[in-house]
Structure formats: C-alpha cells, structure tokens
Amino acid sequence: GFGGPGGRGGRGLPRDRNGVPAFIGNRRGGNNNRITGSLFYSLQNSALNARPFSVNGLVAPKAAYARNNFGFSVGGPLAIPKLFNFEKTTWFINYTGTLSRSGVDNALTEPTPLERSGDFSQSHATIYDPTTGQPFLNNQIPQTRISSIAQGLLTFIPLPNQAGVTRQNFRFITANPNNNQSLNTRLNTSLTQRDTLGLTFNLQKRDNETHQYFGCCDSGDGQGTNVSLNWRHRFGARSFEALTANFNRNTTTANPFFAFGPDVATQLGIQGTSPDPRNYGPPSLSFTNYNGLNDGNSSHSAVETFGLNDTFSIRRGKHNLSFGGGYTHYLNNVITDSNGRGSFSFSGLSTAAFDSSGILINGTGYDFADFLLGRPETSSVRYGDSSTYFRTNSFNAFANDDWRMRNSLTLVLGLRWEYFEPWREKYGHIANLDIAPGFTAVAPVLPGQTGPYGGVFPATLINPDRNNLAPRAAIAWKPWPRGKLLVRIGYGWYYNPGQYNQFMNRLSAQPPFALTNNVTTSSADVLTLGTGLIAVPAGKTITNTYAVALDYRNMYAQTWNAGIQRDLPKSIVIEVSYLGTKGTRLDVPEAPNQAPPGSALTGEQRLPIANAGIFTFDNPVGNSIYHAGQVRLTRRFQRGLSANLQYTFSQAIDDAVLAQNFLNQSAERALSNNDHRHVVNFNWVWASPVDANRGFLSHPAWVAKALKDWSISGGLTAQTGSPLTPLISGNRSGTASNSPLRADASGAPIDAGSGYFNLAAFTIPAGGQFGDAGRNTITGPGSWMMNLSLSRSINLHSERRRLEFRVDANNVLNHVNPSGLVTTVNSTQYGLITNAGPMRSVSATVRLRF
C-alpha cells in the first residue's frame, strides 16, 4: 500500500482522469506528453580540407570555401498549459538551412598566345588554306585572313595562366555560393477511435551562383511547396484504408551571365541568333583540343502535380491483402529557348588536306585554325515559341497478397497496372515528323493532323501505351524451421515513363513554332561564323531536327534475384545472392538521314531523304542485360562492434546509344557506360567498451567518464573503372551526321604500356571510313575511398537532454581518384586525365537533443 493522507491505496492523492495516482508508473508526471526536439550545427571549411589534386602538376592557391548546415526539430502534443490541451493531436516542425560556397578547381586547355595570333608552327598538324588547297607558309595564318568575328570571340576566351605547359594550361579556381532552406511541418490527430488525419506541409527555397571562367557567374533560384493530407480509417482489427491527397509545386529560374546584356552575336556580325534579350551573348563554341565557350540558357519553369491515392489492406487467415490505385495530374510550364545563341563546332576539317578522291589526309587540319578562319564544321540553332504549357495524367492500380503459407514459407504475389499519358501542349504548339517505311521520306505533322504515312497523329503526337501490366512475385523459405538457412527468390516487372519528359521541349521547339537548323559544312555549302546559323543547303525544305516514333512504347525492366543466407558463429551472417535485370524497349536516338561514308567530304552528301536535313529520331528499340553475383558478410552488433563486407562481381551490356552507322545498330552493343566489374564495400561501427560502473577502465571515475559513450565508424568503397570509347572528333567519315565517330583499332593490346591504357592501340581511321574500334573497349581509372567518423553522446542532467558531437572525414587517406580521361585520338589531350575526385574533407557537427 501507499502511506499518506487517505490511508492504504493512496486515497486522497492526485489522480489522472482514469483514477490512477499521478505518479504510479510515471514518476515525472507529464513525461509522456512532453515536447521533444533537437538543435544542430555542422561546419565544413577549406582550412580543414586537403588541397585539390593538380592534374597538370602545378601548385595553385586553394579556393576558400565553407559549408554551414544548421537547423532544429521540435514536436509534441498540441497543448498550452492552462489554455488548451488537444491530447489526441500532435505536431512536428523541422527546419534545415545550408549556407555554402562550393570549391571549384578545374584544369583546362586554352589556346596559347601564338595560336591566338594564327601561328601554329608548334602544332602537331599541318594546316592548309581552304581557298587554295595549299599549306599555309610556316604553318601560320596571315593576320589579314583571321575572321573579325573570331577576333571578337577571342575576348571571351581567356589566356593561359599556368606557365610552362601547353596542355591543361589554365587553372580555374573559385567558390560557388549555393544556399537552401527547408521547413517541414506535420500535424496528426485522432478524429475518432477508428479515424486519424494527418496534414503535412513542406517549403523549400534555394539560390545559387555558378562562376564562369569567361566572366562572373550564372545565377539561379527556386522554391518548392508540398502539401499532403492523409486520412486513415480502421474497419476492424485486421483491415484499414488509407487515402492520401497531395499537391506539389516547384519553380526554378536560371539567369545566364550574358542575359539582358549586350547583343554580342549581332554586334560581331553573326546572323540568325535569337532577338530575345534573355538569349543575348556569344554563341557556344566547341573544339577538339581546347575547352569550349559555353553558358547556360535562360529559363523559368513551374511544375505542379495534384494526386490522389487510396490503399485498402485486410488480413484474412494467412493472407495479408492490399489493393489500391491512384491518379496524378501534372503541369509543366516552361519559358526557355534551348539554343537561342546558336552553337558552332570546330575539328580541323576546313584546314585539312584531301587526296585526289576528296578523302581527308590524316595529320592535317587544326580546330583552332578553322576557328580563326571563321569556318565551323557544324552549326545549330533553336529558338522561337519560348513559352510552352505541357499537361499529362497518370493512373495506377495494384493488388498484392502476402501469403504466410507456413511459419517457414512466405509467398508474395502482386500485379500492378500503370498508364502514363504522353505529354500534350495546351495550345498544340508541338510538331513531329511522319516517317515513311524504310526512312525514305518524312513529312512534318501537327497535333490532330493526318500524316501521309502514319495516319492520324493524336494531340500528344505519340500514341498512348495502356498495356502496362507489371507482375511481381517473391518467396522466402526456411528449409528447416529451427535451422539457420534462409532462401529468398524474387521477380519483378517495372515500367519507366521518364523518357516522355525529354520529348516535350524538343517537340515544341520545331517549325512552324520555332526556328531550328542543324547543318554540316561541305565543299558545296561552306559554313561560316557569319552565316552558319541561317545556312540551309539547297533543296532542304524540312529543317525539323527532332522526331519521335508515333507508336512509341514505354520501356520496362524485368528483374530477378535469388539469395541464400546462413547464420554463422559469433553473430556473423553470410549471404550469397544473384541479381539479373533485363531492359527492353530502351530509348535509342537514331540518325536515319545519314549520308554514305565519304560523300559529305566531297560536297555531295547524298542524304537518303533529299529534302530534309539531319535529324534525331527517338525509337524504343534498345535492350540491356545486367548480371551480378554478390557475397555479403555481416557481423551483427555485439560487444560494441558491427561490420558489413560486401563484394559484387557484375557485368552490364546494352546497345541504347546513338550509332555511328545508322544501318548497323548492333555494332553498338557493348559494355554499358556504368559497368563496374568489381565493387567492394566495407562498413563498420565500434562503440567504446568503457562502462562508468563496472568492467574495463571503470576506475578512476574521471577516466571512465572521459572514455565512455564514444563510437568510431568508417567505410571503404573500391571499384574498377567504367568503360570508355576511343573516339575521333570531326566529320572525318564524311557522313554528315551528328553521331559520335570511333577510332580504328590498331591491333595492339589495350592494357599495355604505363598509362591508363595503351595509346598505340587506337589510330585515326582513313578519311571517309567508319572507325572499327569497339564501343567502350577502354577500362577507365578505378577508384577507392575511405571515410571515418568519430562521435560521442553526453547526457546533460538527465536522459531527456543529450549533447552529441561528431567529426566526419571523407577520403581520410587523401587518395587521388583520377577522372575525365580523354580518349579522343585526334585531341592534343589524348590519354590525359582532366580532373580528379574530391580530396580529404572534414566536417564537424554538434547536436543538442531535449
């Protein structure tokens, strides 16, 4: 019994509304209804970090940058003492802010002062005068022959700032501001004993600047809002329904450095650029041997979604059943021109020499010499109907059965249906190409029109694909109920409508709603910087540069897996598993209007579709396959130590790329770009074994207090490199196509030599021919990185208040992971790396929990 007034049983003591004495089972009174939360601050500063790796070997000042993360979270019952107490309602607020300046350290290659003046006497290639066909005297372009437009554009191309080197001779060191704030709130309440309601509101704001080596910076900002309302109703002990309504809105604005400034292109005499001040500035320039001149596009977008999803779950005997479906409406409003300034590429084609058959002679021609003469190899421009308003809908329905057949056997069966409507433009401002069988002809077509070859085109210009049924199945089996062996097998089918997103903006920027042009130079139609953007080869009445298959079908992936898990002594678990994935109907960009090899070099071009220019045709004809074997060892947390070691051996193959030869897509089947043959991951956590009351180092007290509650964790990730393709730059095959061209294989072993690969394994193919080297035959540099974290938790006065410290070091051993390996054979940077992964960085975090 309890003593005190009222005698045994505690009569007369303060009680709660259920008649129980207030301190029975809860000696802190209102502890169950208290407000909880945390405060945190995290700092990362360049003063604590290692210097970035210098790929050209020259030491440069380190960029000054920092990252500050801070925030708080708090929540509890909706109550204010002596005012109100809604005991069935809880609230939660979380705020996170980031103020950062991200360090940038890039090594670039820029033309030397001699080259800028037209002197290529130190170049590796002989340059020829395109007007006479004879080599320039002393490999120098006379000053009177240098284009005035090129001279004007030179003011935007910086001089080298790294003495003693000709490649990677420009070091760009800066710090880009990048700030964001997010506020997340949640309110949950019980309406009745069977009904609960939850309201979530999230807000995010962000802004950033990106410094450019040719000027100050591009800027951007954005804001995101999310509101979600969830109602959950319980029909009984074994069945409930959850209904969720949500709204999302995200706006993003990009402001390029040159926007609303001087109309540089017009002032220099470049015709055909956009007259919109948002698109003012120099055109984009790309070179084989040098860093290009590129700036972002002005844009403003607002993306909104409205959705409703319903799920009903019920348990019947050994079956856990769930059914449901959903609907989402999407809006995407965009104001942008994808290439309003125009773009030019230079490869050395104009200053190259040709034999009597009109075939290019290797070792001649230089990209920057072409630029000074004002003769690009290709030109492109795209602008016009800048404001577009896209709409679409998606629907889904599913049924799932989690069947516990026996204590040792569980079977999961499911079926999902999804329909993704292709995007449509609110005012019909999109255009496609109707393709004749065999790509013998094309005709522009608008929404609702009837094409001469494909019939009626819907408002989306793509026929809907409603047959998206996706089955799922899985089984978990324990052969011996008391054994330590577990078997898992699974299969799933998944659709991906993401490719629809890339179609909308490209279909909208087409004639008659926008001006588009994509031209390759030839001896019959020579491109220049002044008129290249308005050049239309004779007979080209169709200038559309993009099309999508009318009967485009959604891509899907089938995945299957099997694994065996077994418990071993000392809390160790081993798991051996296999994962396979097959991608079907992958998107493949094709270039069907491709001239026969060599014809473009002689000026004939002979495109299969005579009245159309070069265009890209998206067609779902690609396939991929992925196989992976995995071994995992896990030590469960025991005696303060846990660890996980995982090794993966895998291979990924696909053919979903733009082919150099449209008539031979099968030649593109090779290792996927993201193939990493060997991957090792190791993670561990070790907690201090010191106890303040007993055991190791428990005395003296100050030692125990100093050493207890520490934890050290770390991770190691190591992987082999991804594959790369040996390329050549420029239209040396003479196909007048926008497809990438490969080098020739010399027959020498690729993995020989002291570099990242054997440079002699590849050569420049003869002019007018496709290179025979395989796609992704070079294994790029591998990487490995070790991270380390040290943390401690300190109780303040009571368990309700706790202070936590944490220090994290990424790439703690400061290992160099090279990247950006140049595999373009006719580039002066062939075989070099252009960048390296992040070096060691250190951050510190302090958090107060209450």
Side-chain angles (χ1 to χ4, degrees), residues 560-562 576-581 625-631 647-652 675-677 679:
W560 54 94
N561 62 82
V576 180
S577 61
Y578 160 79
L579 171 65
T581 301
I625 189 70
Y626 172 80
H627 299 285
Q630 190 176 90
V631 178
Y647 167 71
T648 303
F649 175 73
S650 64
Q651 184 182 60
D675 178 80
H676 294 276
R677 190 60 46 85
V679 179

Side-chain angles (χ1 to χ4, degrees), residues 43-46 64-68 99-103 175:
L43 169 67
Q44 185 182 101
N45 192 282
S46 57
Y65 57 90
R67 181 182 180 88
N68 298 272
L99 301 177
S100 70
R101 291 176 60 85
S102 303

Side-chain angles (χ1 to χ4, degrees), residues 302 304 329-334 385 387-393 421-431 447-448 458-461 504-505 507-508 513:
E304 295 182 1
H329 179 62
Y330 301 85
L331 303 91
N332 192 340
N333 303 329
V334 182
D385 191 12
S387 302
T388 49
Y389 306 87
F390 293 97
R391 306 290 185 265
T392 190
N393 301 288
E421 181 184 59
W423 291 88
R424 65 185 184 280
E425 211 282 327
K426 183 177 180 180
Y427 301 103
H429 288 189
I430 50 177
T460 59
L461 293 179
M504 52 181 180
N505 289 329
L507 289 174
S508 65
F513 310 109

